[in-house]
Amino acid sequence: MTTESSINSSAKPETTTGARVRNFLIAIVAIALSVALVLGLQTETNSASLTDLDQASTPLEVAISNGKPSIVEFYANWCTVCQKMAPDIAQLEQEYTDKVNFVMLNVDNTKWLPEMLKYRVDGIPHFVFLDNNGETIAQAIGDQTHTVMASNLEALVAGSSLPYAQTSGQVSKFSAPVAPANSQDDPRSHGSQVVN
């Protein structure tokens, strides 16, 4: 017991001030790491948004007539698959911006109903690949890997057949309306406001 008592007597108990300083430093480091993690995740997920892609996209009328091949994406802001693919599409757009038109058509806008019906859009994202003359050469539906999209764009630029034409991946279900919503501003609907 004499050896044990001498060991215990030589160890100094930690002071309460030292413990408080250590705990304070640990708390500061934990807060700093948490803030860095949150900011890092926000900048990673906000690197490309569907709204940004839409604003930077080529109008459909221009894409069909400017002599460059095009990729048309039917999307919606609520589409989780579209959101997931947005960073890849943004990166591909930067790589191919001089060679390919990138067109974004929001399926929630009834303006695009004729195109939705023409291309039979029933799941999004829905990609339509158009040649230099604006003619449809292939379609891909759903989640597509970066490699698949890049390979298709390379073939599109080269004017050769797309290696991954008619591919399907995970989609967000969507049903196009069969007709545009009724507008009260339509002069032919003047009798529809009459209530007996």
Side-chain angles (χ1 to χ4, degrees), residues 112-130:
W112 305 118
L113 181 60
E115 288 78 11
M116 287 185 269
L117 296 174
K118 176 181 178 180
Y119 298 114
R120 298 180 182 198
V121 177
D122 60 358
I124 51 177
H126 185 114
F127 301 95
V128 179
F129 297 90
L130 306 174

Side-chain angles (χ1 to χ4, degrees), residues 71-89:
I71 178 171
V72 178
E73 179 181 356
F74 290 91
Y75 78 99
N77 289 325
W78 49 262
C79 169
T80 54
V81 179
C82 303
Q83 293 167 1
K84 176 185 169 218
M85 287 190 67
D88 279 345
I89 298 298

